């Protein structure tokens, strides 16, 4: 989501701006991680360039992202819950620069509607990554009983703008919302981090009621994501905690429901990019996000 230079995969002419987790409902998400793979094939391209071995970032064998436990009739822990998944950016934003550069009010100030996102050095787009992970997570969460809404599903030419993304979660009265991203930091910056809303009370923005539940959601996602993917928290944001508080993101500022962002890794780092471009790793990322949401909503 952060931009450090031109991204030739999108628009070479446009200047860019620069462990524990409660084992709640693992059974349903475990089965979902397997069954969901087959279901996902019907709703979206896995996009896998090569299946990564199930190892940690340091090359050690990673724990399985899902157990083989058999679900019980009551293993739909999110029945009646609404989850909004927000795949960051849009694969064709780069064709609509006038629309995505339009300023929108985020409470504290005006900001561009959206951006193209970043990409790996080989050209794999953040927008493709986020949509793939969101679709996978949707399958798992639906199998856990949740009603899942996506802010976009590759079904629109650009956007939505950041204010609309927040509004979709608000209108749905989401019990939890998460915006899925990947970062664009320099080589050597590695790992994931979860962005939490800070306290904002300005203009149309008032996050005071969601700061505490959003922190609980973010902490739950951070724990589950680390366990499921075998990757470490960011070595460049959050001081090793995997958590970062920001007040400059419209998608958080304008939210009235518990919401966080997750930067799943750094697309510009060679080692992180090898994970992000792996369909097998993206499935584990979806498991981590889903388990974190289940744990949060179960309390």
């Amino acid at each position: 989501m952060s931009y450090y230079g031109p991204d030739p995969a999108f628009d070479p002419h446009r200047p860019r701006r620069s462990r524990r987790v409660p084992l709640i409902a693992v059974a349903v998400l475990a089965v979902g991680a397997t069954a969901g793979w087959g279901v996902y094939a019907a709703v979206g391209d896995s996009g896998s360039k090569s299946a990564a071995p199930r190892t940690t970032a340091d090359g050690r064998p990673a724990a399985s992202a899902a157990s083989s436990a058999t679900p019980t009739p009551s293993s739909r822990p999110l029945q009646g819950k609404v989850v909004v998944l927000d795949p960051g950016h849009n694969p064709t934003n780069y064709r609509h620069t006038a629309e995505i550069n339009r300023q929108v009010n985020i409470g504290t100030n005006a900001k561009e509607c959206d951006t193209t996102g970043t990409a790996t050095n080989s050209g794999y787009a953040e927008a493709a990554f986020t949509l793939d992970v969101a679709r996978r997570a949707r399958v798992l969460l639906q199998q856990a009983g949740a009603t899942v809404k996506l802010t976009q599903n590759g079904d629109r030419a650009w956007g939505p703008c950041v204010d609309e993304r927040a509004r979709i979660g608000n209108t749905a009265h989401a019990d939890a919302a998460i915006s899925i991203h990947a970062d664009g930091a320099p080589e050597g910056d590695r790992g994931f981090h979860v962005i939490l809303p800070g306290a904002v009370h300005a203009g149309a923005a008032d996050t005071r009621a969601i700061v505490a539940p959003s922190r609980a959601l973010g902490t739950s996602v951070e724990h589950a994501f680390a366990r499921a993917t075998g990757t470490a928290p960011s070595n460049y944001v959050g001081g090793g905690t995997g958590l970062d508080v920001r007040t400059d993101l419209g998608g958080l500022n304008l939210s009235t429901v518990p919401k966080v962002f997750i930067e799943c890794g750094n697309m510009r780092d060679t080692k992180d990019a090898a994970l992000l471009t792996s369909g097998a790793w993206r499935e584990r990322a979806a498991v981590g996000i889903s388990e974190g949401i289940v744990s949060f909503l179960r309390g």
Side-chain angles (χ1 to χ4, degrees):
M1 185 175 68
S2 299
Y3 317 120
Y4 287 81
D7 195 339
F10 285 103
D11 183 2
H13 305 296
R14 178 174 182 261
R16 306 295 296 279
R17 63 182 177 88
S18 347
R19 270 294 158 242
R20 302 177 306 275
V21 62
L23 298 180
I24 300 170
V26 170
V28 65
L29 290 172
V31 173
T34 301
W37 184 275
V39 175
Y40 174 76
V43 297
D45 181 6
S46 70
S48 176
K49 294 187 177 180
S50 60
R54 300 180 70 81
T55 59
T56 68
D58 299 322
R60 294 177 287 105
S64 173
S67 75
S68 58
T70 301
T72 66
S74 62
S75 60
R76 288 173 63 82
L78 300 192
Q79 192 73 43
K81 300 293 187 181
V82 176
V83 177
V84 169
L85 301 177
D86 178 27
H89 312 292
N90 184 308
T92 54
N93 269 356
Y94 73 98
R95 297 176 183 164
H96 301 273
T97 55
E99 291 89 344
I100 68 170
N101 285 331
R102 177 173 64 85
Q103 297 287 294
V104 298
N105 189 341
I106 65 167
T108 53
N109 58 285
K111 203 167 185 178
E112 63 263 39
C113 157
D114 200 2
T115 70
T116 59
T118 189
T120 65
N121 294 329
S122 63
Y124 179 58
E126 179 188 1
F129 168 84
T130 65
L131 187 55
D132 182 86
V133 173
R135 286 170 171 168
R136 294 172 189 268
R138 177 181 60 182
V139 171
L140 300 176
L141 290 164
Q142 287 174 333
Q143 290 172 341
T147 296
V148 183
K149 298 180 182 294
L150 270 61
T151 58
Q152 59 93 10
N153 191 21
D155 52 358
R156 51 188 296 165
W158 56 274
C161 296
V162 294
D163 57 340
E164 184 183 353
R165 290 172 185 269
R167 190 161 56 249
I168 291 169
N170 298 344
T171 302
H173 302 290
D175 296 287
I178 184 164
S179 189
I180 301 168
H181 288 267
D183 214 351
E187 177 79 28
D189 290 347
R190 296 200 61 198
F192 73 93
H193 63 278
V194 179
I195 302 174
L196 315 175
V200 174
H201 185 209
D206 188 354
T207 63
R208 292 174 296 177
I210 68 163
V211 167
S214 295
R215 175 170 283 275
L217 170 62
T219 300
S220 181
V221 169
E222 187 274 326
H223 289 342
F225 194 86
R227 185 177 64 83
T229 63
T231 54
S234 170
N235 64 5
Y236 63 100
V237 173
T241 66
L243 301 174
D244 185 37
V245 177
R246 290 177 62 171
T247 59
D248 63 323
L249 298 175
L252 296 180
N253 286 1
L254 299 175
S255 182
T256 59
V257 300
K259 184 174 182 179
V260 299
F261 279 45
I262 183 167
E263 298 281 2
C264 296
N266 177 18
M267 302 200 91
R268 294 302 180 88
D269 176 81
T270 304
K271 293 179 180 177
D272 270 10
L275 301 176
L276 297 166
T277 54
S278 162
W281 189 89
R282 292 196 299 275
E283 183 71 7
R284 299 205 296 273
V287 169
I289 290 169
S290 302
E291 286 188 354
I293 291 171
V294 170
S295 181
F296 166 71
L297 292 178
R298 289 295 302 269

